[in-house]
């Protein structure tokens, strides 16, 4: 068998590619299109993975160990081929095989569409997790939706964001196996009745609609591991090709339309990030994923261990990635009671030993709540179960916190005619965790304080991480080789090993080599910017990068105002000492988030102004990169000198982009927020540019202190000038309305609280810290020493470490020994 999948040598890989081209496409290498070559390579790698997947399944059946189901509405996988190659064989040999065939390897890899089934941090975290789980030989499945359209593609037209559908499946998807024999029925709508059957109360479902959940499995390789795990992505399919009743009535359009509506469920990913929209279709999606997954889990369990479900929690752990799949909790209650005949207490006892929940945000507007009027007609049985969970919770609460009505209301699952999804998770999960130290503190002391006080042992702080294979080894191969040449390659599996780089911070040759690699990466990015955006940037300038979703709390506006400030300084004194900078932004805005779109417009207007003013003599350039995505990040991050992590303190739960830049040796300018706090602790304050209000200071401002804003506005002349330029002057001419709105929100706020994100308060501190950045960039020995120290201190941020902590504290899975 092994001979079919032998990819051990350059010549066997070459033979394999030729074979695939011939047998799949009837093409010789010299006649094949780039897309066909990509697919031949992918199919070759896929053979190897499917073989291992079957081996893994066999092994897991024998082992009968515990298995993790990681349910997430998003898996932002990006591209797979290069990653699978580096996991399964030697990248150099693979590239060599292609070159032997006169084929450009990079162009081949570039043929692959990103799997953009996620918005940002939360979705990419899930993707890094499944990589680390597999690398660590842990039995796990990622469960999600097979969206036909991933996150929209972004174009920038006349400075504005334009959204284009992301039809990622257009050319077919090599990385999936459809499993029709494992399809599952999901039921929506209708009504429920309690009826007595043989002296027992039973729930009868009437008039519900059935939708098929069709599984597609997407194999996942690990670095140097034998195991191949998979993502199971559910696709919605109508039960009938058409509604025959309607068809026979002669209503042909209606007959087909029904099918279309059913299949809408897996049509498109909702593009909101930290800003949910309470839409019926989104609720359907969440239930569809939850129900299909839980039905499948119970079915699999019964097949492996028999009909008695008492021991389920010993064999199954279900992790829910934020509240989006939280309906899995009442859905499991429903299945255990209505379908498996368990009583409430037995069902609840199983459920509360099975689920664990991670929170990813503290912003109140981002916490999911579903209005009853929307929920109840769609999910009548789940609604009645949630009412029951709530009632029992309230009884418990009146014992724990007698008479405290306010607390009860705050902790209730149902209040103000809404279902609070976080409270379902808090009531039912055996473990709850935050994604950084600071974030978990805020959960425990503030937003989930009432729950945390009652059962502190359920709460965990587990700082996020990233996979070093993709984010350094693959994205920055020259730096990876340099590191390996000095400390060996064990850091790829054991991230702590990176600390052995520390002495090289004082090694002039090492620093120089890193600087040279950075320059090469910057040149590649500069060429991309020239080609794609027609902007010429100074290859020696500081590449200052802010790449992340667009959100007010992430404060792209603070960055933009700083650029406008520098522009004003240079206009005043064109000969002042100035270290040239290229400001690079990349960010998608949720299509319905008007303010975020205005901010994109503002950034581009400032770019237009500074890029074209001859008095600036190219000392400042601003580039807004279109369509930020995983594959763009892989090119962008290794080219960054400075990483902008400047969220309002207390708002960014963790951040993971911050870790990717640090790992690649960029220096960070940032606030004490999310994982930045831990980055500063690890690398030392002298090697990171921390500025601005801390989270506790921000909270004081929210409680009082809005006069401060007026005071700063009238006393800081530079800030005053910049703010006025938003509404009067060169920018305002470009888009009066948009910039007035931003101006208003800064100075007066939306609900009477001026400067809600502390942009005005933090402006001066930011400007001063940026000046220090420029001064230190002028001292290469100092700068590159810090750069090396950043990489050397980044070991903690490996998702392998994160997964090990989840496993130790929450999951208790056993690594497979082969
Ligand atoms: C919910 C309901 C309806 C529509 C959309 C949503 C929705 C979708 C995505 C709500 C939130 C998100 C995404 C949140 C997210 O990405 N949070 C980020 O998670 C990262 C991983 O933990 C953290 O590093 C970031 O700090 C956090 O912002």
């Amino acid at each position: 068998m092994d001979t079919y999948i032998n990819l051990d040598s350059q010549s066997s890989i070459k033979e394999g590619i030729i074979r695939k081209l011939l047998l799949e496409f009837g093409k010789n290498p010299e006649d094949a299109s780039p897309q066909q070559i990509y697919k031949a390579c992918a199919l070759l790698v896929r053979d190897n993975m499917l073989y291992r997947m079957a081996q893994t399944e066999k092994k897991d059946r024998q082992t009968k160990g515990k298995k993790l189901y990681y349910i997430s509405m998003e898996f932002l996988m990006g591209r797979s081929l290069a990653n699978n190659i580096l996991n399964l064989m030697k990248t150099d040999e693979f590239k060599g095989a292609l070159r032997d065939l006169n084929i450009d390897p990079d162009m081949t890899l570039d043929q692959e569409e990103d799997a953009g089934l996620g918005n940002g941090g939360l979705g990419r975290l899930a993707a890094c997790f499944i990589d680390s789980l597999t690398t660590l030989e842990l039995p796990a499945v990622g469960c999600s939706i097979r969206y036909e359209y991933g996150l929209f593609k972004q174009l920038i037209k006349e400075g504005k964001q334009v959204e284009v559908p992301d039809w990622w499946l257009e050319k077919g998807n090599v990385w999936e196996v459809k499993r029709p024999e494992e399809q599952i029925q999901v039921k929506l709508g209708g009504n429920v009745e309690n009826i007595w059957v043989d002296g027992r109360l039973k729930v009868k479902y009437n008039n519900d609609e059935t939708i098929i959940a069709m599984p597609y499995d997407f194999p996942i390789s690990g670095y140097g591991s034998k195991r191949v795990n998979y993502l199971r992505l559910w696709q919605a399919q109508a039960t009938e090709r058409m509604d025959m009743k309607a068809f026979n009535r002669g209503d042909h359009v209606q007959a087909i339309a029904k099918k279309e509506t059913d299949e809408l469920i897996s049509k498109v990913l909702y593009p909101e990030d930290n800003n949910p929209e309470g839409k019926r279709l989104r609720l359907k999606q969440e239930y569809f994923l939850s129900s299909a997954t839980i039905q499948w889990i119970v079915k699999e369990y019964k097949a492996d261990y028999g009909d008695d479900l008492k021991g389920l929690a010993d064999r199954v752990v279900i992790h829910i990635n934020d509240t989006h799949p939280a309906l899995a909790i009442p859905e499991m209650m429903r299945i255990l009671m209505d379908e498996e005949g368990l009583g409430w207490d037995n069902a609840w006892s199983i459920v509360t030993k099975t689920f664990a929940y991670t929170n990813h945000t503290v912003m109140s507007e981002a916490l999911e709540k579903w209005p009853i009027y929307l929920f109840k007609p769609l999910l009548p049985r789940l609604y009645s179960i949630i009412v029951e969970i709530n009632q029992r919770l309230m009884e418990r609460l009146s014992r724990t916190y007698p008479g405290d009505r306010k607390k009860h209301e705050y902790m209730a699952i149902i209040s103000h005619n809404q279902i609070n999804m976080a409270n379902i998770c808090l009531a039912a999960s055996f473990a709850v965790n935050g994604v950084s130290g600071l974030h978990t503190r805020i959960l425990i002391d503030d937003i989930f304080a009432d729950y945390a006080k009652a059962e502190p042992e359920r709460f965990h702080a587990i700082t996020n991480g990233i996979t070093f294979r993709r984010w350094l080894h693959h994205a920055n191969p020259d730096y990876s080789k340099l590191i390996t040449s000095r400390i060996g390659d064990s850091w790829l599996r054991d991230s702590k090993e990176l600390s052995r780089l520390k002495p090289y911070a004082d090694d002039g040759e090492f620093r120089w080599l890193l600087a040279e690699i950075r320059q090469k990466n910057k040149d590649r990015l500069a060429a991309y910017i020239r080609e794609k955006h027609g902007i010429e940037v100074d290859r020696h300038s500081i590449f200052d990068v802010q790449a992340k979703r667009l959100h007010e709390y992430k404060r792209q506006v603070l960055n933009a105002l700083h650029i406008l400030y520098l522009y004003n300084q240079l206009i005043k004194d064109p000969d002042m000492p100035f270290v040239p900078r290229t400001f690079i932004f990349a960010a998608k805005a949720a299509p319905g988030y008007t303010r975020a779109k205005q901010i994109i417009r503002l950034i581009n207007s400032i770019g237009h102004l500074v890029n074209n003013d001859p008095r600036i003599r190219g000392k400042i350039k601003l580039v807004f990169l279109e369509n930020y995505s995983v594959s763009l990040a892989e090119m962008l991050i290794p080219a960054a000198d400075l990483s902008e992590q400047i969220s309002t303190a207390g708002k960014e739960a963790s951040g993971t982009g911050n870790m990717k830049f640090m790992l690649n040796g960029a220096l960070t300018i940032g606030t004490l927020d999310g994982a930045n706090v831990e980055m500063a602790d690890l690398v030392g304050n002298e090697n990171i540019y921390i500025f601005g209000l801390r989270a506790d200071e921000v909270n004081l401002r929210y409680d009082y202190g809005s006069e401060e804003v007026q005071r700063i506005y009238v006393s800081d002349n530079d800030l005053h000038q910049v703010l006025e330029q938003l509404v009067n002057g060169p920018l305002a001419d470009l888009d009066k309305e948009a910039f007035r709105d931003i101006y208003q929100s800064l100075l007066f706020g939306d609900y009477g609280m001026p400067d809600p994100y502390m942009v005005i308060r933090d402006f001066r501190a930011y400007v001063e810290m940026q000046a220090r950045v420029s001064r230190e960039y002028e001292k290469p020995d100092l700068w590159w020493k810090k750069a090396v120290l950043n990489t050397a201190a980044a070991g903690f941020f490996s998702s392998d470490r994160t997964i090990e902590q989840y496993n130790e504290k929450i999951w208790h899975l056993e690594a497979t020994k082969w």
Side-chain angles (χ1 to χ4, degrees):
M1 185 67 197
D2 282 30
T3 53
Y4 290 122
I5 56 147
N6 172 20
L7 300 173
D8 294 345
S9 66
Q10 188 158 316
S11 62
S12 64
I13 296 168
K14 182 177 151 193
E15 289 311 313
I17 296 170
I18 294 174
R19 198 183 139 87
K20 283 289 176 201
L21 279 172
L22 282 171
L23 302 188
E24 294 286 334
F25 302 108
K27 287 281 181 184
N28 301 306
E30 57 275 23
D31 306 319
S33 71
Q35 181 66 209
Q36 286 166 335
I37 292 165
Y38 154 70
K39 280 195 178 148
C41 296
L43 286 166
L44 183 67
V45 171
R46 185 184 113 130
D47 284 352
N48 188 299
M49 291 173 70
L50 293 186
Y51 170 73
R52 289 161 183 253
M53 197 160 111
Q55 299 286 94
T56 304
E57 191 174 350
K58 198 196 279 176
K59 184 77 181 172
D60 288 351
R61 275 259 142 69
Q62 291 163 357
T63 314
K64 293 191 182 302
K66 198 175 185 187
K67 191 167 179 176
L68 165 70
Y69 295 83
Y70 191 89
I71 316 185
S72 175
M73 287 287 281
E74 309 187 8
F75 277 88
L76 187 44
M77 300 298 288
R79 290 173 174 160
S80 290
L81 179 56
N83 195 247
N84 288 329
I85 289 170
L86 79 85
N87 279 338
L88 300 170
M89 59 189 105
K90 294 202 173 76
T91 300
D92 287 344
E93 287 175 1
F94 186 87
K95 292 193 168 178
L98 283 174
R99 285 197 199 95
D100 283 349
L101 295 167
N102 264 323
I103 295 166
D104 176 1
D106 292 325
M107 195 174 103
T108 304
L109 296 175
D110 234 17
Q111 292 297 311
E112 183 173 0
E113 282 288 322
D114 275 43
L117 309 186
N119 276 289
L122 168 148
R124 183 56 229 176
L125 186 76
C128 285
F129 278 10
I130 199 73
D131 177 291
S132 286
L133 281 160
T134 313
T135 299
L136 294 171
E137 293 282 6
L138 298 172
V141 195
C143 307
S144 192
I145 293 177
R146 183 181 181 270
Y147 302 105
E148 193 175 327
Y149 296 89
L151 184 62
F152 66 84
K153 291 202 164 148
Q154 179 197 52
L155 303 177
I156 301 294
K157 296 248 186 261
E158 289 165 13
K160 294 187 195 131
Q161 167 171 298
V162 174
E163 299 101 25
V164 182
D166 167 45
W167 188 17
W168 69 294
L169 296 167
E170 180 177 10
K171 294 175 188 145
N173 177 13
V174 173
W175 307 114
E176 64 182 14
V177 184
K178 185 176 179 176
R179 305 226 184 266
E181 52 294 308
E182 294 184 51
Q183 61 183 263
I184 277 177
Q185 299 193 347
V186 173
K187 302 198 160 160
L188 291 165
N191 52 64
V192 285
E193 248 182 292
N194 290 323
I195 52 164
W196 291 93
V197 181
D198 305 332
R200 283 193 57 172
L201 197 58
K202 281 205 69 152
V203 181
K204 185 163 177 269
Y205 297 67
N206 298 316
N207 303 320
D208 46 11
E209 284 181 57
T210 302
I211 287 157
I212 292 169
M214 180 65 73
Y216 287 74
D217 292 345
F218 189 122
I220 306 290
S221 60
Y223 184 72
S225 60
K226 222 171 148 176
R227 167 175 290 278
V228 165
N229 283 322
Y230 59 92
L231 295 188
R232 172 153 285 200
L233 305 180
W234 302 101
Q235 180 196 38
Q237 233 176 60
T239 38
E240 315 283 347
R241 298 215 55 78
M242 59 179 76
D243 178 349
M244 285 314 290
K245 261 194 243 146
F247 189 81
N248 291 333
R249 274 202 315 270
D251 196 346
H252 296 185
V253 173
Q254 184 56 39
I256 304 291
K258 168 76 175 66
K259 169 175 152 71
E260 297 295 313
T261 331
D262 287 352
E263 298 185 351
L264 215 54
I265 292 181
S266 60
K267 198 56 86 179
V268 55
L269 167 77
Y270 271 84
E272 278 81 34
D273 167 296
N274 274 311
N275 201 0
E277 253 194 275
K279 291 275 164 64
R280 204 173 102 96
L281 181 59
R282 168 78 184 191
L283 182 58
K284 279 192 184 179
Q285 289 186 335
E286 294 185 355
Y287 181 65
F288 175 75
L289 170 60
S290 304
S291 177
T293 304
I294 299 299
Q295 289 189 57
W296 173 52
I297 292 172
V298 172
K299 215 175 193 171
E300 265 213 332
Y301 179 85
K302 287 169 70 178
D304 289 346
Y305 303 105
D307 288 351
D308 185 355
L309 294 162
K310 264 204 304 293
L312 188 117
D314 299 328
R315 302 279 188 238
V316 169
V317 55
I318 303 175
H319 205 99
I320 52 182
N321 201 19
D322 217 300
T323 58
H324 317 155
L327 293 178
I329 292 168
E331 175 67 1
M332 185 174 267
M333 287 299 288
R334 183 188 72 77
I335 293 170
L336 295 183
M337 295 189 300
D338 298 358
E339 286 171 18
E340 302 297 332
L342 270 65
W344 181 279
D345 291 334
N346 287 334
W348 185 248
S349 149
I350 295 172
V351 165
T352 50
K353 285 198 238 68
T354 305
F355 282 93
Y357 152 65
T358 302
N359 170 281
H360 296 264
T361 188
V362 298
M363 291 199 306
S364 52
E365 67 272 27
L367 296 173
E368 275 191 301
K369 293 186 179 154
W370 290 104
I372 291 176
Y373 75 84
L374 212 146
F375 194 99
K376 197 173 163 190
L378 196 65
L379 302 166
R381 179 57 181 143
L382 251 65
Y383 178 69
S384 67
I385 290 172
I386 291 172
V387 167
E388 180 77 30
I389 298 177
N390 187 49
Q391 245 152 33
R392 288 167 187 252
L393 170 73
M394 297 323 277
E395 280 160 28
R396 256 191 296 152
L397 287 183
S398 48
R399 287 195 297 272
T400 324
Y401 298 113
D404 196 338
R405 297 266 317 256
K406 243 194 154 150
K407 235 175 216 152
H408 299 175
E409 184 186 308
Y410 190 75
M411 295 172 77
I413 293 171
I414 303 176
S415 65
H416 304 286
N417 296 315
Q418 289 187 317
I419 301 173
N420 181 322
M421 302 296 275
N423 284 346
I424 296 184
C425 299
L426 289 163
S429 306
F430 71 86
V432 176
N433 78 286
V435 292
S436 70
L438 175 65
H439 170 62
T440 308
R441 268 267 65 87
I442 296 173
L443 295 184
I444 291 175
D445 293 347
D446 189 5
I447 70 165
F448 298 157
D450 301 326
Y451 279 96
K453 257 179 236 140
E455 292 166 287
E457 63 288 349
R458 278 202 298 154
F459 286 75
H460 305 274
I462 308 183
T463 301
N464 283 166
I466 58 173
T467 164
F468 289 11
R469 275 81 60 180
R470 181 179 292 263
W471 294 109
L472 176 54
H473 184 54
H474 159 69
N476 201 347
D478 293 339
Y479 193 24
S480 172
K481 282 195 187 108
L482 175 61
I483 293 168
T484 296
S485 73
R486 298 302 195 272
I487 64 167
D489 69 357
S490 58
W491 61 274
L492 282 161
R493 294 193 120 264
D494 180 3
S495 60
K496 290 189 299 295
E497 288 287 303
L498 269 190
S499 66
R500 289 175 41 222
L501 269 187
K502 211 169 163 185
Y504 292 95
D506 295 313
D507 175 337
E509 191 197 2
F510 190 91
R511 289 198 304 245
W512 190 81
L513 288 168
L514 170 56
E516 211 178 43
I517 290 164
R518 175 75 51 75
Q519 188 59 59
K520 192 174 146 195
N521 295 336
K522 285 165 76 172
D523 289 347
R524 179 173 61 151
L525 179 62
Y528 176 85
I529 290 172
R530 183 182 311 122
E531 188 172 316
K532 190 108 207 236
H533 297 271
I535 300 172
E536 197 61 50
V537 305
D538 175 355
R539 62 191 285 272
H540 296 300
S541 62
I542 302 177
F543 279 26
D544 173 333
V545 182
Q546 187 171 19
K548 50 184 77 257
R549 283 298 291 259
L550 213 139
H551 210 292
E552 286 167 279
Y553 85 79
K554 295 177 187 281
R555 298 201 295 190
Q556 280 93 352
V557 165
L558 180 58
N559 188 346
L561 296 184
H562 170 242
I563 300 169
L564 199 51
Y565 158 82
L566 289 179
Y567 169 81
N568 292 337
Q569 300 293 104
L570 271 177
I571 295 295
K572 249 188 273 173
D573 180 6
D575 294 318
M576 73 181 223
F578 192 87
V579 187
R581 275 222 207 187
T582 302
F583 293 93
I584 300 168
F585 291 85
K588 287 179 183 175
Y593 188 176
T594 311
R595 173 86 42 79
K597 289 178 139 179
Q598 287 165 344
I599 294 169
I600 290 183
R601 181 96 179 83
L602 172 67
I603 294 166
N604 281 307
S605 301
I606 296 174
H608 186 76
L609 178 72
V610 302
N611 292 350
N612 299 307
D613 192 322
R615 294 170 294 179
I616 298 300
R617 285 180 282 160
K619 290 180 190 170
I620 309 175
K621 282 280 162 73
L622 189 161
V623 182
F624 192 105
L625 293 176
E626 218 167 62
N627 199 38
Y628 188 49
S629 59
V630 173
S631 51
L632 183 55
E634 288 165 3
M635 165 161 73
L636 177 59
I637 291 169
D641 295 308
L642 186 67
S643 159
E644 299 270 353
Q645 307 299 337
I646 60 176
S647 52
T648 312
K651 300 281 187 214
E652 189 71 273
S654 162
T656 44
N658 46 0
M659 303 168 187
K660 294 164 196 164
F661 285 98
M662 179 190 194
L663 179 64
N664 280 279
L667 304 196
T668 299
I669 183 164
T671 47
L672 280 180
D673 199 13
N676 297 355
V677 176
E678 287 150 78
M679 285 166 51
D681 285 346
L682 286 162
V683 78
N685 265 316
E686 60 293 0
N687 300 309
I688 185 168
Y689 301 102
I690 296 291
F691 72 96
L693 296 175
R694 286 176 281 115
D696 52 331
E697 295 169 329
V698 168
N699 282 334
L700 287 178
R701 272 32 178 217
Y702 286 140
D703 293 341
Y704 9 75
S706 58
E707 314 79 57
E708 197 183 14
V709 175
Q710 272 303 310
R711 204 183 62 234
I712 299 171
Y713 174 73
V714 295
S715 64
D716 187 329
N717 291 328
D718 298 325
L719 176 61
H720 192 277
Q721 180 184 9
V722 164
L723 287 171
E724 290 311 305
Q725 280 169 321
L726 295 182
V727 286
N728 305 305
L731 290 173
D733 297 341
L734 294 170
D735 199 331
K736 267 206 163 58
E737 289 298 299
F739 304 154
R740 175 155 294 279
D741 173 78
I742 295 171
Y743 174 88
Q744 287 275 341
S745 90
L746 290 173
L747 279 171
F748 307 105
D750 301 314
Y751 306 99
M753 186 200 297
D755 192 27
Y757 295 99
M758 311 285 145
V759 171
I760 291 176
R761 271 92 146 199
D762 274 344
F763 179 77
R764 188 45 60 181
Y766 181 59
V767 165
E768 279 167 11
M769 194 53 79
Q770 285 286 19
R772 197 176 127 202
V773 169
S774 287
R775 287 195 300 276
E776 295 193 355
Y777 190 75
E778 295 267 79
K779 301 178 190 146
D781 282 350
L782 181 69
W783 183 273
W784 294 103
K785 175 182 174 155
K786 292 183 177 193
V788 176
L789 288 175
N790 269 270
T791 305
F796 176 74
F797 298 109
S798 165
S799 46
D800 298 348
R801 184 272 311 153
T802 310
I803 290 298
E804 272 162 0
Q805 288 185 323
Y806 274 90
N807 199 34
E808 218 177 274
K809 297 184 190 195
I810 302 177
W811 301 330
H812 311 298
L813 309 166
E814 226 166 293
T816 304
K817 291 184 197 67
W818 291 87

